[in-house]
């Protein structure tokens, strides 16, 4: 990659990661992602994660509590606050690849007074109530099954990733602060649900797969199918 192009991309990612942000009085700025250095982003077998196959989303499940036992219900409750995808406006979100399987990534969106997100990836009708737990959801498919790779992580302390009730200085939700992996693994040693064969400990995150296809709860498949169709219609 030419040096000028690389430096431009790093500058974009730094903006997405909160560098030089100015707080808007009528909204709450939330910046999120990795820190501003490269780390390995891996699949369950140790391969690399790319935006050609995966999406990286920040959002909430509302009052629903995701666990490794109810994965078939996740998508029917999931609300996207912001996302990093190949279609994104690069001025707000960035995913920069480095050597091998390393990358750094960052996103930024504003929480409005009406509790909605200004992100191009969010559903304008979704609201994010004060106290809702925020998660980062990485995946290559919406339905659990053979070949599906997922990661779901959050932070419960220092800081707790809760959507705020009022507006203050910008919130910074970065991967090194995350302390819980519901599915997949983060920061080398925090391991959640799912199957994997990779045995390294040098990674930002690792997606995990499904050893068996989980049985959906009653009505779960219809809810997920409807959600997928709704998202496609917005795009």
């Amino acid at each position: 990659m030419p040096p000028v192009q690389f430096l431009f991309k790093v500058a974009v990612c730094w903006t997405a990661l909160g560098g030089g942000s100015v707080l808007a009085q009528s909204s709450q700025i939330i910046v999120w992602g990795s820190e501003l250095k490269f780390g390995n982003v891996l699949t369950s077998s140790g391969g690399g994660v790319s935006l050609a196959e995966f999406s990286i989303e920040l959002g909430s499940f509302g009052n629903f509590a995701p666990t490794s036992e109810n994965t078939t219900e996740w998508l029917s409750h999931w609300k996207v606050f912001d996302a990093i995808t190949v279609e994104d406006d690069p001025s707000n979100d960035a995913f920069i690849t480095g050597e091998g399987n390393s990358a750094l990534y960052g996103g930024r969106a504003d929480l409005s007074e009406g509790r909605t997100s200004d992100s191009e990836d969010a559903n304008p009708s979704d609201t994010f109530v004060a106290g809702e737990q925020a998660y980062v959801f990485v995946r290559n498919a919406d339905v659990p099954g053979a070949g599906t790779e997922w990661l779901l992580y959050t932070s419960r302390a220092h800081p707790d990733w809760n959507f705020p009730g009022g507006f203050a200085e910008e919130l910074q939700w970065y991967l090194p602060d995350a302390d819980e992996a519901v599915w997949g693994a983060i920061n080398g040693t925090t391991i959640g649900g799912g199957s994997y064969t990779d045995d390294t400990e040098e990674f930002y995150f690792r997606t995990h797969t499904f050893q068996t296809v989980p049985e959906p709860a009653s009505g779960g498949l219809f809810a997920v199918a409807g959600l997928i169709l709704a998202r496609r219609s917005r795009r």
Side-chain angles (χ1 to χ4, degrees), residues 198-227:
D198 172 68
D199 61 358
T200 65
E201 293 185 357
E202 297 293 330
F203 55 78
Y204 265 156
F205 69 65
R206 182 179 64 211
T207 60
H208 287 179
T209 191
F210 294 81
Q211 191 170 24
T212 59
V213 179
E215 290 291 333
S218 177
L221 285 179
F222 294 103
V224 171
L227 185 62

Side-chain angles (χ1 to χ4, degrees), residues 3-26:
V4 174
Q5 184 181 2
F6 176 76
L7 290 175
F8 172 75
K9 281 182 170 285
V10 169
V12 168
C13 194
W14 174 239
T15 299
L17 288 170
S21 297
V22 178
L23 180 66
Q25 293 182 353
S26 61

Side-chain angles (χ1 to χ4, degrees), residues 187-200:
N187 298 323
T189 57
T190 301
I191 313 297
S195 300
Y196 60 96
T197 55
D198 172 68
D199 61 358
T200 65

Side-chain angles (χ1 to χ4, degrees), residues 133-134 154-162 172-180:
Q133 188 72 31
T154 189
S155 177
R156 299 283 181 182
H158 311 301
D160 191 346
W161 292 357
N162 284 336
Q172 299 178 349
W173 293 341
Y174 295 145
L175 175 59
D177 297 322
D179 54 20
E180 178 181 324

Side-chain angles (χ1 to χ4, degrees), residues 34-231:
S34 65
E35 53 188 354
L36 194 63
K37 68 177 183 180
F38 290 100
N40 288 328
V41 289
L42 306 176
T43 64
S44 60
S45 61
V49 168
S50 72
L51 286 191
E53 300 178 59
F54 287 82
S55 62
I56 305 174
E57 299 176 346
L58 173 70
S60 168
F61 293 95
N63 293 326
F64 175 76
T67 72
S68 60
E69 304 299 322
N70 59 15
T71 54
T72 58
E73 301 177 58
W74 288 9
L75 263 294
S76 62
H77 296 274
W78 180 241
K79 300 180 294 183
V80 177
F81 182 80
D82 190 26
I84 303 171
T85 69
V86 291
E87 298 93 354
D88 272 347
D89 177 353
S91 66
N92 292 323
D93 306 306
F95 182 93
I96 303 173
T97 56
E99 295 183 0
N101 294 323
S102 68
L104 58 86
Y105 59 95
R108 166 191 163 144
D110 288 7
L111 178 67
S112 74
E113 288 182 316
R115 314 303 303 175
T116 61
S117 170
D118 73 343
S119 171
E120 61 186 323
D121 304 294
N123 185 333
S125 65
D126 283 342
T127 57
F128 299 86
V129 177
E132 285 187 6
Q133 188 72 31
Y135 296 83
V136 174
F137 194 179
V138 182
R139 64 188 186 281
N140 67 349
D142 286 337
V143 180
T148 298
E149 298 268 344
W150 280 7
L151 167 72
L152 185 71
Y153 69 84
T154 189
S155 177
R156 299 283 181 182
H158 311 301
D160 191 346
W161 292 357
N162 284 336
F163 284 96
F167 300 144
E169 62 184 30
E170 71 175 26
L171 295 177
Q172 299 178 349
W173 293 341
Y174 295 145
L175 175 59
D177 297 322
D179 54 20
E180 178 181 324
V182 181
W183 192 272
I186 56 173
N187 298 323
T189 57
T190 301
I191 313 297
S195 300
Y196 60 96
T197 55
D198 172 68
D199 61 358
T200 65
E201 293 185 357
E202 297 293 330
F203 55 78
Y204 265 156
F205 69 65
R206 182 179 64 211
T207 60
H208 287 179
T209 191
F210 294 81
Q211 191 170 24
T212 59
V213 179
E215 290 291 333
S218 177
L221 285 179
F222 294 103
V224 171
L227 185 62
I228 293 171
L229 290 174
R231 286 181 177 170

